[in-house]
Amino acid sequence: MMHRTLTTHDLPALMTGIMATLAGIGIARFAYTPLLPAIIQEGWFSASQGAYLGAANLLGYFIGALAAHSLSERFSPRLVMAASFAGIALSFVLCAGAGGFLWFFFWRLVSGIAGAILMVVGPSLALAATPPERRTRVGAMVFTGIGFGALLSAFIVPLLLGLSLTVTWGTLGLLCIAAGLLCDYFLQQQGVAHLTSPITASSVGNSSTGYAGVKVVVLLVIGAYALDAIGFVPHTVFWVDYLARESALGNQAASLQWGIFGLGALCGPFMVGALAHRVGWQGGLMIAFAAKAAAVLLPVFSLALLSQSVSSFMVGAMIPGIVALTSGRLAELVGPTAHKKLWGQATAAFAAAQAVAGYAMSALYGAWGSYAPLFAISGLILVAGFLLVLLSRGIQQRHSHLSAQQLTKHATQHSSKHFTHHGKQ
């Protein structure tokens, strides 16, 4: 349950997951966001090329999401994770000097592939090594690595940029190596080291019955999750550049907002944990979509410091928040065993939508020369996601009502037959 406290025995599993999410998204993707304005200003790439390099990471994430499960089944997860950490580290170290667009595109693609593998395998290993009664808490907390990575990049990148762009890229590569070594150390601790494959169906319990009855509801939840992937692209790829260059607020002000975004990402898992405990997975998901839609739309109407800060914090919080809530909602609908396969499909749908949105928005920016309309589009897409979650709730309630009516009718018929039988006697 949500309220079960963690113990020191959970630390190896928890740190394995946190280091994986820290490097997988926190550094591999989010560290690139505050680098984007500097890359353009230094003349390494044009604004349009910089946007496409950000989208390359999203394409890689889709490829990695599809490959992660089979790779971790075929090879030792320790080897798969080590290779992924190395791939992300190389993607920064080998891009530490000005190079061609295709060279940078390839390594941003590699960082996306490796990042997705870490995001699938790391939390999975963490859950497999955690007792069932504490899995919900650990499952939410492993995503705090995303926030740590964003916070780290927000405060370290501006300082390093004062030295040079080359030093910044190289240092981020070294940070990934450090995270990888820490992850490997915790992976070898008791409770995690013996695992040779990610969490299996037998370790999480029995599958629920009535899967066919909730199929439409499941599809709507996955559909909403895919729309969420489109909705946060502007904040995770363009936000810093939008504030620093397009809005002429400067790198320092933009980096502060990226720090607030990171703080939100750090708080998100704790916030939705409390929310789900109070209103359930379904209610939590509806609130999260509404809050995120409002936060993404906010910069369209106001770029005052308070508006920027609320937008940064809430979008940051709801990124890992909606991940955790969607995962919990799907488990609630289909049971823990069916959840593993379904969560893989949801992750692939999310990654595909994210990759398509990344390229489409880069193309729109190239055509319009402004990021502002992209925030409006994304906000409206998140509103559509909220409506899908709302629709899924209505369908489930109707299904439950019909099932209850059928049970009542069956019970009445059974009772009637019972009395008729006794009457004849």
Side-chain angles (χ1 to χ4, degrees):
M1 296 296 291
M2 290 281 177
H3 61 274
R4 295 293 177 104
T5 54
L6 299 173
T7 70
T8 51
H9 298 296
D10 298 319
L11 190 64
L14 185 60
M15 291 304 292
T16 296
I18 287 174
M19 288 300 119
T21 60
L22 168 70
I25 286 187
I27 297 176
R29 181 184 310 164
F30 287 170
Y32 178 77
T33 307
L35 277 174
L36 187 55
I39 290 167
I40 296 163
Q41 284 160 3
E42 292 274 329
W44 284 21
F45 298 106
S46 67
S48 179
Q49 285 177 321
Y52 276 111
L53 288 176
N57 182 272
L58 306 183
L59 176 61
Y61 194 83
F62 173 58
I63 297 166
L66 291 177
H69 179 69
S70 57
L71 281 173
S72 60
E73 290 287 317
R74 191 169 297 179
F75 304 103
S76 152
R78 186 184 173 195
L79 180 66
V80 171
M81 289 181 76
S84 300
F85 276 107
I88 296 168
L90 284 172
S91 77
F92 282 103
V93 173
L94 296 178
C95 291
F101 177 79
L102 287 177
W103 175 260
F104 271 72
F105 186 94
F106 173 77
W107 285 109
R108 292 307 299 151
L109 186 77
V110 166
S111 75
I113 294 168
I117 292 168
L118 287 179
M119 285 297 295
V120 172
V121 179
S124 167
L125 284 174
L127 286 176
T130 306
E133 68 273 12
R134 293 197 295 277
R135 263 184 205 143
T136 310
R137 181 62 64 87
V138 169
M141 283 187 68
V142 293
F143 294 105
T144 57
I146 298 171
F148 279 121
L151 265 178
L152 206 63
S153 64
F155 294 110
I156 286 179
V157 169
L159 292 173
L160 293 171
L161 285 172
L163 299 171
S164 79
L165 199 48
T166 297
V167 169
T168 310
W169 281 86
T171 305
L172 290 168
L174 293 175
L175 277 174
C176 282
I177 292 169
L181 291 171
L182 271 173
C183 184
D184 193 63
Y185 169 76
F186 287 113
L187 201 57
Q188 292 178 75
Q189 298 303 297
Q190 192 179 6
V192 181
H194 70 279
L195 292 167
T196 55
S197 64
I199 191 165
T200 56
S202 61
S203 67
V204 288
N206 301 316
S207 62
S208 67
T209 54
Y211 173 73
V214 294
K215 201 167 186 181
V216 176
V217 180
V218 165
L219 287 172
L220 287 170
V221 172
I222 291 176
Y225 189 51
L227 291 180
D228 174 57
I230 300 169
F232 77 70
V233 167
H235 268 77
T236 56
V237 181
F238 311 126
W239 185 228
V240 173
D241 196 39
Y242 173 59
L243 295 174
R245 285 191 320 111
E246 190 172 318
S247 305
L249 297 173
N251 286 347
Q252 212 166 3
S255 293
L256 170 66
Q257 289 306 316
W258 192 242
I260 294 170
F261 174 95
L263 186 64
L266 200 56
C267 296
F270 300 100
M271 289 164 65
V272 299
L275 188 63
H277 188 61
R278 282 177 176 269
V279 299
W281 296 112
Q282 165 70 33
L285 201 54
M286 287 172 63
I287 292 168
F289 263 96
K292 196 169 182 179
V296 170
L297 282 168
L298 197 53
V300 177
F301 302 102
S302 169
L303 270 178
L305 181 61
L306 181 63
S307 301
Q308 290 175 46
S309 303
V310 169
S311 182
S312 295
F313 183 85
M314 285 308 297
V315 175
M318 290 305 108
I319 284 174
I322 287 181
V323 173
L325 288 167
T326 304
S327 177
R329 176 65 174 143
L330 290 174
E332 181 180 59
L333 286 167
V334 302
T337 304
H339 172 262
K340 181 173 180 268
K341 185 180 178 184
L342 202 64
W343 184 236
Q345 292 170 352
T347 303
F350 181 94
Q354 185 178 240
V356 170
Y359 280 95
M361 289 187 185
S362 296
L364 288 174
Y365 173 71
W368 295 338
S370 172
Y371 292 124
L374 304 182
F375 290 90
I377 292 167
S378 293
L380 293 174
I381 282 169
L382 285 166
V383 170
F386 168 81
L387 293 174
L388 287 187
V389 177
L390 190 65
L391 182 61
S392 76
R393 182 192 185 193
I395 290 171
Q396 190 187 21
Q397 285 177 339
R398 185 169 173 269
H399 178 75
S400 300
H401 181 66
L402 289 171
S403 298
Q405 280 185 328
Q406 285 171 349
L407 282 170
T408 306
K409 188 180 177 183
H410 179 74
T412 306
Q413 286 173 345
H414 181 74
S415 177
S416 165
K417 284 177 184 175
H418 179 75
F419 281 117
T420 304
H421 177 69
H422 278 279
K424 283 177 180 177
Q425 285 181 331

